[in-house]
Amino acid sequence: MNSSKPVHTLILDSGPIIKNEPGVSSLIGQSEALITVPSVIAEIRDVTTRSRIEVSLLPFLQLREPKPESMRTIVDFARKTGDLEVLSKTDLQVLALAYELECERNGGDWRLRRVPGQKRMNGPPPEKKEEDGNGNTREDDTGLEEKLDAASLEEEEEEEGKELDGGSSKHPVQSVDEPGVTETLDERPVPIDGSALPSPAEENGDPSVSSNPADSQDASSPPSESSDSEGWITPSNIKKHKLQAQRSLTKASQPAPLKVLQVATLTTDFAMQNVLMQMNLNLLSPSLQRVRHVKTFILRCHACFAQSKDTKRQFCARCGKPTLTRVSCSTLDSGEFKIHLKKNMRWNARGDRYSIPKPVGGSANGRVNVGGGGKGGGKGGWGQSLILSEDQKEYTRAVTAQERVRTRDLMDQDYLPGILTGERGRVGGRVKVGAGRNVNSRKRM
């Protein structure tokens, strides 16, 4: 049974479900089946969203867990693309379910890629076989119509050949050298473009009149078979040309068949989109259009050129320096991954003009330079407790303090907003690394 919808099986992630983009009616109208993993529904904790999903979406949604073999395949592929560190367990389950259903619907992973950047697919498509009512398998009938047309055309040519052979005895052809050479209009070959037409003198049968002297020499030689069969319409091949013209008109009048996606995934996560595109799994946008180009951002180390998909990192995982820059990248439907760099990019060395002050002594409770009167660390103490690497205890304390959730009662009479008290946090919520940009920003006169 051929499906009239563009997608047969649509796999949903939590992002489109929470945002309700697209709506439930659009999902049902564009796909035959809606499938997701149970952990996606468990991620939705909002009471209003959960009640809406239970009423409108869950009656049409199928829940299914992927197999361990599919999970291992997706984990290995995501590790090679570098997206494994930013993918959660639920994301991996959704990707594994998409891979598993793709293999079930298309008869294997022949149209997928096993390695990122693979130029060709895994293999050719398998031969389609259908079962009849008795349980016997038969091959697909693709191209059967062309074979029947060719067979009928051969039979017609054989019959026409027999008719021409039988009619040759009734109408004997005289020799060319004799003066009474006559030809009927039906027996003479007519060119397709209608260019070479006989002159009136040639039609009257006057052998003395000729437009070209070479024609008299050609008339004495027997005509070649290749010139009659190639580019000419003769009584022997007129049915063949009619059949070809009728077939071309039929193909032009028929509309193009609707291409149905067997399995597609709907997600807004950039890491999941990157894995889907590089593996050649079908990806849909919230407007239910197939995505062939994904653009996102990654972090690239300016010192050692290492790449990181975790945009929350502040230090390079290879060299340990705070030299990560945000660059744009794109993934094509062919699996090609490109990084777009600026041609005139320069590293900002602002704040690195003067060296870091010498370390000063302190005590266990955090007081600096107790014996020297609490002074040290440069002018204004800017060099005290500098964070220069990821394994410092100062950096660990700062990250822990930011992750701590602070709840305040808005109805408390003593509560004042941060804009009045001055306790506003840093923009972006990132830990200050190094001395910052304001240390050496003032120019000397």
PDB file of all heavy atoms in Angstrom, residues 203-234:
ATOM      1  N   GLU A 203      11.168  13.624 -60.357  1.00  0.00           N
ATOM      2  CA  GLU A 203       9.891  12.956 -60.165  1.00  0.00           C
ATOM      3  C   GLU A 203       9.328  12.464 -61.496  1.00  0.00           C
ATOM      4  O   GLU A 203       8.639  11.437 -61.577  1.00  0.00           O
ATOM      5  CB  GLU A 203       8.896  13.904 -59.498  1.00  0.00           C
ATOM      6  CG  GLU A 203       9.237  14.187 -58.048  1.00  0.00           C
ATOM      7  CD  GLU A 203       8.232  15.123 -57.424  1.00  0.00           C
ATOM      8  OE1 GLU A 203       7.325  15.571 -58.154  1.00  0.00           O
ATOM      9  OE2 GLU A 203       8.357  15.397 -56.212  1.00  0.00           O
ATOM     10  N   ASN A 204       9.558  13.175 -62.612  1.00  0.00           N
ATOM     11  CA  ASN A 204       9.073  12.765 -63.927  1.00  0.00           C
ATOM     12  C   ASN A 204       9.845  11.580 -64.491  1.00  0.00           C
ATOM     13  O   ASN A 204       9.479  11.008 -65.508  1.00  0.00           O
ATOM     14  CB  ASN A 204       9.145  13.928 -64.916  1.00  0.00           C
ATOM     15  CG  ASN A 204       8.211  15.055 -64.487  1.00  0.00           C
ATOM     16  OD1 ASN A 204       7.176  14.790 -63.879  1.00  0.00           O
ATOM     17  ND2 ASN A 204       8.566  16.286 -64.839  1.00  0.00           N
ATOM     18  N   GLY A 205      10.935  11.231 -63.822  1.00  0.00           N
ATOM     19  CA  GLY A 205      11.701  10.060 -64.264  1.00  0.00           C
ATOM     20  C   GLY A 205      12.688  10.358 -65.345  1.00  0.00           C
ATOM     21  O   GLY A 205      13.054   9.468 -66.119  1.00  0.00           O
ATOM     22  N   ASP A 206      13.148  11.629 -65.510  1.00  0.00           N
ATOM     23  CA  ASP A 206      14.121  11.982 -66.525  1.00  0.00           C
ATOM     24  C   ASP A 206      15.511  11.693 -65.993  1.00  0.00           C
ATOM     25  O   ASP A 206      15.985  12.383 -65.077  1.00  0.00           O
ATOM     26  CB  ASP A 206      13.978  13.464 -66.884  1.00  0.00           C
ATOM     27  CG  ASP A 206      14.817  13.824 -68.109  1.00  0.00           C
ATOM     28  OD1 ASP A 206      15.501  12.911 -68.624  1.00  0.00           O
ATOM     29  OD2 ASP A 206      14.768  14.997 -68.518  1.00  0.00           O
ATOM     30  N   PRO A 207      16.233  10.689 -66.522  1.00  0.00           N
ATOM     31  CA  PRO A 207      17.550  10.367 -65.971  1.00  0.00           C
ATOM     32  C   PRO A 207      18.628  11.334 -66.382  1.00  0.00           C
ATOM     33  O   PRO A 207      19.694  11.368 -65.796  1.00  0.00           O
ATOM     34  CB  PRO A 207      17.835   8.962 -66.533  1.00  0.00           C
ATOM     35  CG  PRO A 207      17.072   8.912 -67.806  1.00  0.00           C
ATOM     36  CD  PRO A 207      15.849   9.743 -67.610  1.00  0.00           C
ATOM     37  N   SER A 208      18.356  12.160 -67.399  1.00  0.00           N
ATOM     38  CA  SER A 208      19.393  13.078 -67.873  1.00  0.00           C
ATOM     39  C   SER A 208      19.539  14.302 -67.003  1.00  0.00           C
ATOM     40  O   SER A 208      20.568  14.961 -67.032  1.00  0.00           O
ATOM     41  CB  SER A 208      19.095  13.519 -69.318  1.00  0.00           C
ATOM     42  OG  SER A 208      17.851  14.205 -69.341  1.00  0.00           O
ATOM     43  N   VAL A 209      18.491  14.638 -66.248  1.00  0.00           N
ATOM     44  CA  VAL A 209      18.526  15.834 -65.411  1.00  0.00           C
ATOM     45  C   VAL A 209      18.971  15.431 -64.017  1.00  0.00           C
ATOM     46  O   VAL A 209      18.360  14.556 -63.395  1.00  0.00           O
ATOM     47  CB  VAL A 209      17.154  16.511 -65.358  1.00  0.00           C
ATOM     48  CG1 VAL A 209      17.209  17.736 -64.468  1.00  0.00           C
ATOM     49  CG2 VAL A 209      16.694  16.865 -66.760  1.00  0.00           C
ATOM     50  N   SER A 210      20.009  16.083 -63.502  1.00  0.00           N
ATOM     51  CA  SER A 210      20.519  15.774 -62.161  1.00  0.00           C
ATOM     52  C   SER A 210      21.098  17.047 -61.577  1.00  0.00           C
ATOM     53  O   SER A 210      21.810  17.786 -62.264  1.00  0.00           O
ATOM     54  CB  SER A 210      21.583  14.669 -62.226  1.00  0.00           C
ATOM     55  OG  SER A 210      22.095  14.450 -60.932  1.00  0.00           O
ATOM     56  N   SER A 211      20.797  17.310 -60.310  1.00  0.00           N
ATOM     57  CA  SER A 211      21.295  18.516 -59.648  1.00  0.00           C
ATOM     58  C   SER A 211      22.738  18.378 -59.241  1.00  0.00           C
ATOM     59  O   SER A 211      23.451  19.363 -59.102  1.00  0.00           O
ATOM     60  CB  SER A 211      20.436  18.829 -58.416  1.00  0.00           C
ATOM     61  OG  SER A 211      20.490  17.755 -57.511  1.00  0.00           O
ATOM     62  N   ASN A 212      23.234  17.180 -59.035  1.00  0.00           N
ATOM     63  CA  ASN A 212      24.599  16.947 -58.573  1.00  0.00           C
ATOM     64  C   ASN A 212      25.213  15.846 -59.416  1.00  0.00           C
ATOM     65  O   ASN A 212      24.589  14.775 -59.584  1.00  0.00           O
ATOM     66  CB  ASN A 212      24.592  16.550 -57.097  1.00  0.00           C
ATOM     67  CG  ASN A 212      26.008  16.554 -56.520  1.00  0.00           C
ATOM     68  OD1 ASN A 212      26.973  16.838 -57.217  1.00  0.00           O
ATOM     69  ND2 ASN A 212      26.100  16.222 -55.235  1.00  0.00           N
ATOM     70  N   PRO A 213      26.368  16.035 -59.974  1.00  0.00           N
ATOM     71  CA  PRO A 213      26.959  14.973 -60.784  1.00  0.00           C
ATOM     72  C   PRO A 213      27.293  13.734 -59.976  1.00  0.00           C
ATOM     73  O   PRO A 213      27.391  12.646 -60.532  1.00  0.00           O
ATOM     74  CB  PRO A 213      28.222  15.626 -61.366  1.00  0.00           C
ATOM     75  CG  PRO A 213      28.521  16.751 -60.447  1.00  0.00           C
ATOM     76  CD  PRO A 213      27.203  17.256 -59.980  1.00  0.00           C
ATOM     77  N   ALA A 214      27.472  13.884 -58.680  1.00  0.00           N
ATOM     78  CA  ALA A 214      27.802  12.710 -57.867  1.00  0.00           C
ATOM     79  C   ALA A 214      26.612  11.821 -57.637  1.00  0.00           C
ATOM     80  O   ALA A 214      26.759  10.679 -57.225  1.00  0.00           O
ATOM     81  CB  ALA A 214      28.388  13.149 -56.516  1.00  0.00           C
ATOM     82  N   ASP A 215      25.377  12.356 -57.944  1.00  0.00           N
ATOM     83  CA  ASP A 215      24.183  11.543 -57.719  1.00  0.00           C
ATOM     84  C   ASP A 215      24.113  10.400 -58.715  1.00  0.00           C
ATOM     85  O   ASP A 215      23.579   9.324 -58.411  1.00  0.00           O
ATOM     86  CB  ASP A 215      22.933  12.409 -57.813  1.00  0.00           C
ATOM     87  CG  ASP A 215      22.873  13.420 -56.697  1.00  0.00           C
ATOM     88  OD1 ASP A 215      23.550  13.200 -55.665  1.00  0.00           O
ATOM     89  OD2 ASP A 215      22.131  14.417 -56.843  1.00  0.00           O
ATOM     90  N   SER A 216      24.593  10.660 -59.938  1.00  0.00           N
ATOM     91  CA  SER A 216      24.545   9.601 -60.948  1.00  0.00           C
ATOM     92  C   SER A 216      25.473   8.452 -60.573  1.00  0.00           C
ATOM     93  O   SER A 216      25.179   7.290 -60.821  1.00  0.00           O
ATOM     94  CB  SER A 216      24.916  10.162 -62.312  1.00  0.00           C
ATOM     95  OG  SER A 216      26.233  10.696 -62.269  1.00  0.00           O
ATOM     96  N   GLN A 217      26.628   8.781 -59.948  1.00  0.00           N
ATOM     97  CA  GLN A 217      27.527   7.734 -59.531  1.00  0.00           C
ATOM     98  C   GLN A 217      26.971   6.979 -58.333  1.00  0.00           C
ATOM     99  O   GLN A 217      27.121   5.774 -58.221  1.00  0.00           O
ATOM    100  CB  GLN A 217      28.893   8.333 -59.187  1.00  0.00           C
ATOM    101  CG  GLN A 217      29.562   9.008 -60.368  1.00  0.00           C
ATOM    102  CD  GLN A 217      30.882   9.631 -59.975  1.00  0.00           C
ATOM    103  OE1 GLN A 217      31.290   9.537 -58.820  1.00  0.00           O
ATOM    104  NE2 GLN A 217      31.541  10.270 -60.944  1.00  0.00           N
ATOM    105  N   ASP A 218      26.316   7.703 -57.419  1.00  0.00           N
ATOM    106  CA  ASP A 218      25.732   7.037 -56.261  1.00  0.00           C
ATOM    107  C   ASP A 218      24.549   6.185 -56.651  1.00  0.00           C
ATOM    108  O   ASP A 218      24.218   5.211 -55.978  1.00  0.00           O
ATOM    109  CB  ASP A 218      25.312   8.066 -55.216  1.00  0.00           C
ATOM    110  CG  ASP A 218      26.496   8.821 -54.669  1.00  0.00           C
ATOM    111  OD1 ASP A 218      27.628   8.299 -54.734  1.00  0.00           O
ATOM    112  OD2 ASP A 218      26.288   9.957 -54.169  1.00  0.00           O
ATOM    113  N   ALA A 219      23.847   6.582 -57.731  1.00  0.00           N
ATOM    114  CA  ALA A 219      22.687   5.806 -58.128  1.00  0.00           C
ATOM    115  C   ALA A 219      23.081   4.434 -58.633  1.00  0.00           C
ATOM    116  O   ALA A 219      22.323   3.477 -58.505  1.00  0.00           O
ATOM    117  CB  ALA A 219      21.899   6.566 -59.205  1.00  0.00           C
ATOM    118  N   SER A 220      24.285   4.309 -59.233  1.00  0.00           N
ATOM    119  CA  SER A 220      24.715   3.024 -59.736  1.00  0.00           C
ATOM    120  C   SER A 220      25.163   2.080 -58.637  1.00  0.00           C
ATOM    121  O   SER A 220      25.171   0.876 -58.801  1.00  0.00           O
ATOM    122  CB  SER A 220      25.851   3.212 -60.753  1.00  0.00           C
ATOM    123  OG  SER A 220      26.950   3.839 -60.105  1.00  0.00           O
ATOM    124  N   SER A 221      25.571   2.627 -57.470  1.00  0.00           N
ATOM    125  CA  SER A 221      26.019   1.795 -56.346  1.00  0.00           C
ATOM    126  C   SER A 221      24.834   1.388 -55.505  1.00  0.00           C
ATOM    127  O   SER A 221      23.877   2.147 -55.364  1.00  0.00           O
ATOM    128  CB  SER A 221      27.037   2.566 -55.506  1.00  0.00           C
ATOM    129  OG  SER A 221      26.423   3.710 -54.969  1.00  0.00           O
ATOM    130  N   PRO A 222      24.842   0.183 -54.893  1.00  0.00           N
ATOM    131  CA  PRO A 222      23.715  -0.259 -54.055  1.00  0.00           C
ATOM    132  C   PRO A 222      23.630   0.577 -52.791  1.00  0.00           C
ATOM    133  O   PRO A 222      24.647   0.954 -52.208  1.00  0.00           O
ATOM    134  CB  PRO A 222      24.054  -1.724 -53.751  1.00  0.00           C
ATOM    135  CG  PRO A 222      25.532  -1.813 -53.899  1.00  0.00           C
ATOM    136  CD  PRO A 222      25.897  -0.845 -54.992  1.00  0.00           C
ATOM    137  N   PRO A 223      22.432   0.924 -52.338  1.00  0.00           N
ATOM    138  CA  PRO A 223      22.291   1.742 -51.115  1.00  0.00           C
ATOM    139  C   PRO A 223      22.743   0.962 -49.885  1.00  0.00           C
ATOM    140  O   PRO A 223      22.526  -0.240 -49.783  1.00  0.00           O
ATOM    141  CB  PRO A 223      20.782   2.037 -51.064  1.00  0.00           C
ATOM    142  CG  PRO A 223      20.143   0.936 -51.838  1.00  0.00           C
ATOM    143  CD  PRO A 223      21.115   0.560 -52.906  1.00  0.00           C
ATOM    144  N   SER A 224      23.367   1.675 -48.941  1.00  0.00           N
ATOM    145  CA  SER A 224      23.838   1.044 -47.707  1.00  0.00           C
ATOM    146  C   SER A 224      22.687   0.890 -46.733  1.00  0.00           C
ATOM    147  O   SER A 224      21.796   1.735 -46.651  1.00  0.00           O
ATOM    148  CB  SER A 224      24.956   1.882 -47.068  1.00  0.00           C
ATOM    149  OG  SER A 224      24.465   3.164 -46.757  1.00  0.00           O
ATOM    150  N   GLU A 225      22.746  -0.197 -45.951  1.00  0.00           N
ATOM    151  CA  GLU A 225      21.683  -0.473 -44.984  1.00  0.00           C
ATOM    152  C   GLU A 225      21.729   0.484 -43.797  1.00  0.00           C
ATOM    153  O   GLU A 225      20.708   0.795 -43.207  1.00  0.00           O
ATOM    154  CB  GLU A 225      21.790  -1.913 -44.501  1.00  0.00           C
ATOM    155  CG  GLU A 225      21.593  -2.917 -45.628  1.00  0.00           C
ATOM    156  CD  GLU A 225      21.713  -4.341 -45.119  1.00  0.00           C
ATOM    157  OE1 GLU A 225      22.011  -4.469 -43.916  1.00  0.00           O
ATOM    158  OE2 GLU A 225      21.518  -5.287 -45.893  1.00  0.00           O
ATOM    159  N   SER A 226      22.942   0.952 -43.417  1.00  0.00           N
ATOM    160  CA  SER A 226      23.049   1.827 -42.254  1.00  0.00           C
ATOM    161  C   SER A 226      22.402   3.172 -42.502  1.00  0.00           C
ATOM    162  O   SER A 226      21.824   3.779 -41.605  1.00  0.00           O
ATOM    163  CB  SER A 226      24.523   2.009 -41.873  1.00  0.00           C
ATOM    164  OG  SER A 226      25.209   2.617 -42.958  1.00  0.00           O
ATOM    165  N   SER A 227      22.482   3.682 -43.759  1.00  0.00           N
ATOM    166  CA  SER A 227      21.875   4.983 -44.050  1.00  0.00           C
ATOM    167  C   SER A 227      20.362   4.908 -44.029  1.00  0.00           C
ATOM    168  O   SER A 227      19.686   5.896 -43.750  1.00  0.00           O
ATOM    169  CB  SER A 227      22.353   5.488 -45.412  1.00  0.00           C
ATOM    170  OG  SER A 227      21.937   4.578 -46.420  1.00  0.00           O
ATOM    171  N   ASP A 228      19.770   3.737 -44.350  1.00  0.00           N
ATOM    172  CA  ASP A 228      18.319   3.604 -44.322  1.00  0.00           C
ATOM    173  C   ASP A 228      17.785   3.451 -42.910  1.00  0.00           C
ATOM    174  O   ASP A 228      16.671   3.854 -42.605  1.00  0.00           O
ATOM    175  CB  ASP A 228      17.892   2.391 -45.164  1.00  0.00           C
ATOM    176  CG  ASP A 228      18.173   2.625 -46.642  1.00  0.00           C
ATOM    177  OD1 ASP A 228      18.351   3.798 -46.998  1.00  0.00           O
ATOM    178  OD2 ASP A 228      18.240   1.634 -47.401  1.00  0.00           O
ATOM    179  N   SER A 229      18.601   2.835 -42.011  1.00  0.00           N
ATOM    180  CA  SER A 229      18.105   2.534 -40.660  1.00  0.00           C
ATOM    181  C   SER A 229      18.349   3.652 -39.666  1.00  0.00           C
ATOM    182  O   SER A 229      17.640   3.765 -38.678  1.00  0.00           O
ATOM    183  CB  SER A 229      18.771   1.252 -40.144  1.00  0.00           C
ATOM    184  OG  SER A 229      20.181   1.429 -40.115  1.00  0.00           O
ATOM    185  N   GLU A 230      19.347   4.498 -39.913  1.00  0.00           N
ATOM    186  CA  GLU A 230      19.695   5.541 -38.966  1.00  0.00           C
ATOM    187  C   GLU A 230      19.202   6.889 -39.468  1.00  0.00           C
ATOM    188  O   GLU A 230      19.656   7.374 -40.494  1.00  0.00           O
ATOM    189  CB  GLU A 230      21.210   5.594 -38.757  1.00  0.00           C
ATOM    190  CG  GLU A 230      21.765   4.320 -38.129  1.00  0.00           C
ATOM    191  CD  GLU A 230      23.266   4.405 -37.939  1.00  0.00           C
ATOM    192  OE1 GLU A 230      23.812   5.472 -38.311  1.00  0.00           O
ATOM    193  OE2 GLU A 230      23.868   3.451 -37.457  1.00  0.00           O
ATOM    194  N   GLY A 231      18.251   7.516 -38.738  1.00  0.00           N
ATOM    195  CA  GLY A 231      17.795   8.856 -39.059  1.00  0.00           C
ATOM    196  C   GLY A 231      16.709   8.930 -40.099  1.00  0.00           C
ATOM    197  O   GLY A 231      16.346  10.030 -40.509  1.00  0.00           O
ATOM    198  N   TRP A 232      16.187   7.819 -40.579  1.00  0.00           N
ATOM    199  CA  TRP A 232      15.151   7.818 -41.598  1.00  0.00           C
ATOM    200  C   TRP A 232      13.929   7.074 -41.090  1.00  0.00           C
ATOM    201  O   TRP A 232      14.038   6.104 -40.349  1.00  0.00           O
ATOM    202  CB  TRP A 232      15.649   7.161 -42.888  1.00  0.00           C
ATOM    203  CG  TRP A 232      16.774   7.907 -43.531  1.00  0.00           C
ATOM    204  CD1 TRP A 232      18.085   7.807 -43.242  1.00  0.00           C
ATOM    205  CD2 TRP A 232      16.664   8.873 -44.563  1.00  0.00           C
ATOM    206  NE1 TRP A 232      18.835   8.646 -44.008  1.00  0.00           N
ATOM    207  CE2 TRP A 232      17.978   9.322 -44.860  1.00  0.00           C
ATOM    208  CE3 TRP A 232      15.605   9.409 -45.303  1.00  0.00           C
ATOM    209  CZ2 TRP A 232      18.257  10.271 -45.828  1.00  0.00           C
ATOM    210  CZ3 TRP A 232      15.883  10.347 -46.276  1.00  0.00           C
ATOM    211  CH2 TRP A 232      17.190  10.778 -46.530  1.00  0.00           C
ATOM    212  N   ILE A 233      12.759   7.522 -41.513  1.00  0.00           N
ATOM    213  CA  ILE A 233      11.504   6.848 -41.193  1.00  0.00           C
ATOM    214  C   ILE A 233      11.070   6.067 -42.423  1.00  0.00           C
ATOM    215  O   ILE A 233      10.807   6.651 -43.481  1.00  0.00           O
ATOM    216  CB  ILE A 233      10.416   7.854 -40.789  1.00  0.00           C
ATOM    217  CG1 ILE A 233      10.846   8.615 -39.527  1.00  0.00           C
ATOM    218  CG2 ILE A 233       9.100   7.147 -40.533  1.00  0.00           C
ATOM    219  CD1 ILE A 233       9.848   9.656 -39.090  1.00  0.00           C
ATOM    220  N   THR A 234      11.055   4.764 -42.284  1.00  0.00           N
ATOM    221  CA  THR A 234      10.687   3.863 -43.371  1.00  0.00           C
ATOM    222  C   THR A 234       9.465   3.059 -42.962  1.00  0.00           C
ATOM    223  O   THR A 234       9.096   3.033 -41.779  1.00  0.00           O
ATOM    224  CB  THR A 234      11.863   2.928 -43.697  1.00  0.00           C
ATOM    225  OG1 THR A 234      12.170   2.177 -42.526  1.00  0.00           O
ATOM    226  CG2 THR A 234      13.093   3.725 -44.129  1.00  0.00           C
TER     227      THR A 234
END
